Amino acid sequence: MTSNKSALITGITGQDGAYLSRLLLEKGYEVNGLLARRGSDTLWRLRELGIHEQVKMIDGDLTDLSSLIRAMEQSKATEVYNLGAQSFVGTSWQQPVLTAQVDGVGAINVLEAVRIVNRDARFYQASTSEMFGLIQAEKQDEKTPLYPRSPYGVAKVMAHWATINYRESYNLHASSGILFNHESPLRGIEFVTRKVTHAAASIRLGLQKELRLGNIDAKRDWGFAGDYVEAMWLMLQQDKADDYVVATGVTTTVRDMCEIAFRHLGLNYLDHLVIDPGFFRPAEVEVLLGNPAKAKARLGWAPKTSLEQLITMMVDADIRRLGG
Ligand code: NAP
Ligand code: F7E
C-alpha cells in the first residue's frame, strides 16, 4: 500500500517511536525521525524491528526550535507525533530543569514549528497518566482534574495544556493521547516492568542473584506499547482533534507483576527480592487506573494484550537476548 503521507516523529529511537514507525511504514507512510544523536547505540530498537534502513533521520533536538522548523520543512510532514521526552519519572527529580525544557518547552517548540511551517499538519502530543498523580477520581478519564506528583508530570501538564491552547488559538489539528503505562520487550531497562523481566531472566540463567526494588505496592494500569501506538494514529485520522485516555481499565501492583514474571520461569520472586530505599521516590503516584471508554467509542480502539501476555512476552525476549 502506498500513500502521499509523510510523518515526522520526535523520539523515534524510543520504545513508542519504534512501534509507531513500524505501524506507519506498514500503512505506506514516509517516516522521518528527529535524531538527537546522544547515546552510542540509539538505533537498537529500530534495528530489532528490522526497520532502521526504512526511516529517514533528520538531526535535531526538541530544545532547538530552528532544528524543528528545518525538520518540518525537510520532511514535508502531514502528521507530527511528539514522542520525544526525558521520560523516566525518577530522573526528573535529579534533572528537573532539563525535564521541563525537553518535555514542556520542547512540546511548545514543536507546536510552533507546525504553526510556522504548515498549519494543516496534524499534531499528536504524548501526554501521560502521570498528570493525574495524586488521583482525584477512582478511574481517571479525560475530565479528571490533574494533580502531577513529579517534575516530569508537571512538565507534561504544560505540554498538554499547550496542545489544547494551540488547538483553540490557531485551530491546529492538535490531539493529546493521555496514555497510561505501556511496556514491551523494547522498554528501557530503568522502568520497573523491564527491570523485573530482565532480572527474572538473568536469575534463571545464573547471571544475577537478587532484584532490588522500591515501592512494590504501587499499582499501575499496564498495557502493550504495540497496541497503544494504534490509538495515536487513530487520533490523527479523526475529523476533529481531541484528547483521549488510552488504558486497559485494569490495575495491578508491582508485586503481582513480579509474581507473573518469575512464575513464568518457575521461580519465586520472594526468594530474590530486596527492598531498597534508594528506589523510593520523593513523592509517589500510588495508583493509576484509566477509563478508556471514549477511545473505544470514538476511535474504535481497545487493548488486545493482557498483562500476563505482555510480561511473559518480555521475559521470553530477555531470555533470548541473554542467550538462554
Ligand atoms: P522513551 O523510550 O524514553 O523514548 C524517548 C525518546 O525521546 C527517545 O527517542 C529519546 O532519544 C528522545 N529524546 C529525549 N530527549 C530528547 C531531546 N532533547 N530532543 C529530541 N529527542 C529527545 O519513551 P517512550 O516510552 O517511547 O515514550 C514516548 C513518549 O510517551 C514520551 O514522551 C513519554 O514521556 C510518553 N509516555 C510514555 C508512556 C509509557 O508508559 N511508555 C506513557 C505515557 C506517556 P534518545 O534515544 O537519543 O535518548
Ligand atoms: O514505575 C515503582 C515506582 O518507572 C512504576 C513512564 O513511562 O509511565 C512511566 O512512569 C512504579 C512506580 O514507571 C521500582 O515507584 C518500585 O510507582 O516503571 P516506572 P512510571 O513512573 O509509572 C508513565 C505513564 C510515564 O509517562 C512515564 O514516562 O513502580 N517501582 N520499584 C519502581 N520503579 C522503577 N523504575 N524501579 C524500581 O526499582
Side-chain angles (χ1 to χ4, degrees):
M1 192 170 95
T2 55
S3 77
N4 297 324
K5 288 192 166 181
S6 172
L8 174 63
I9 304 176
T10 74
I12 193 166
T13 57
Q15 169 188 261
D16 293 5
Y19 284 111
L20 180 65
S21 295
R22 183 172 70 180
L23 179 77
L24 296 180
L25 287 167
E26 283 166 4
K27 291 184 182 298
Y29 281 68
E30 177 185 303
V31 176
N32 301 272
L34 189 81
L35 186 61
R37 285 194 199 285
R38 278 162 299 117
S40 54
D41 186 20
T42 47
L43 299 186
W44 70 270
R45 294 184 172 96
L46 295 163
R47 206 175 303 115
E48 272 215 26
L49 297 184
I51 55 172
H52 58 293
E53 286 171 349
Q54 296 171 53
V55 297
K56 295 185 183 171
M57 292 300 184
I58 302 174
D59 279 352
D61 194 287
L62 283 166
T63 58
D64 182 345
L65 174 59
S66 66
S67 72
L68 293 166
I69 290 174
R70 204 172 305 116
M72 277 300 294
E73 287 170 347
Q74 218 171 301
S75 64
K76 299 192 168 47
T78 50
E79 293 179 15
V80 179
Y81 296 86
N82 183 34
L83 310 185
Q86 188 304 96
S87 78
F88 186 47
V89 172
T91 292
S92 74
W93 277 278
Q94 265 67 56
Q95 301 182 16
V97 178
L98 176 115
T99 303
Q101 282 163 346
V102 175
D103 300 15
V105 178
I108 298 178
N109 281 337
V110 181
L111 284 161
E112 273 295 277
V114 169
R115 185 185 67 80
I116 292 165
V117 178
N118 177 12
R119 286 187 191 205
D120 292 330
R122 296 183 171 195
F123 173 85
Y124 173 84
Q125 170 57 22
S127 287
T128 165
S129 51
E130 268 291 306
M131 302 188 308
F132 296 123
L134 188 61
I135 54 168
Q136 303 292 299
E138 196 184 331
K139 266 197 150 187
Q140 301 89 55
D141 64 20
E142 297 77 6
K143 299 228 172 338
T144 304
L146 307 179
Y147 194 140
R149 293 268 282 173
S150 62
Y152 169 79
V154 171
K156 283 286 188 175
V157 170
M158 180 182 188
H160 182 73
W161 277 104
T163 303
I164 294 168
N165 181 248
Y166 272 62
R167 185 163 76 215
E168 294 176 355
S169 304
Y170 304 113
N171 204 21
L172 287 194
H173 193 294
S175 295
S176 270
I178 307 173
L179 270 55
F180 282 60
N181 299 52
H182 47 280
E183 320 291 312
S184 75
L186 301 184
R187 187 58 143 152
I189 201 142
E190 64 273 36
F191 299 94
V192 77
T193 52
R194 180 78 203 295
K195 182 173 173 182
V196 167
T197 63
H198 184 265
S202 302
I203 289 168
R204 187 77 190 88
L205 297 173
L207 304 170
Q208 187 175 326
K209 283 207 164 55
E210 45 175 55
L211 166 61
R212 305 184 82 85
L213 293 177
N215 177 17
I216 58 171
D217 294 318
K219 291 173 113 180
R220 287 292 182 277
D221 179 332
W222 279 297
F224 173 46
D227 294 345
Y228 284 32
V229 296
E230 289 183 18
M232 297 178 187
W233 177 76
L234 283 167
M235 284 176 220
L236 297 207
Q237 310 317 307
Q238 305 307 303
D239 288 341
K240 263 185 79 195
D242 207 339
D243 307 319
Y244 296 90
V245 159
V246 177
T248 68
V250 177
T251 192
T252 309
T253 58
V254 171
R255 184 191 291 280
D256 288 347
M257 181 270 295
C258 289
E259 207 270 323
I260 297 172
F262 279 68
R263 178 170 27 89
H264 184 55
L265 296 175
L267 300 167
N268 181 349
Y269 78 98
L270 291 170
D271 294 339
H272 306 279
L273 180 66
V274 178
I275 298 298
D276 183 338
F279 290 109
F280 283 77
R281 294 172 177 176
E284 175 65 295
V285 174
E286 294 292 348
V287 55
L288 289 171
L289 173 60
N291 175 4
K294 181 174 169 184
K296 190 165 187 205
R298 305 254 183 97
L299 306 177
W301 179 88
K304 299 181 190 129
T305 314
S306 71
L307 182 61
E308 179 99 22
Q309 288 169 326
L310 170 64
I311 295 299
T312 55
M313 176 201 327
M314 292 172 68
V315 170
D316 289 343
D318 279 319
I319 287 276
R320 254 194 322 275
R321 286 194 187 112
L322 291 167

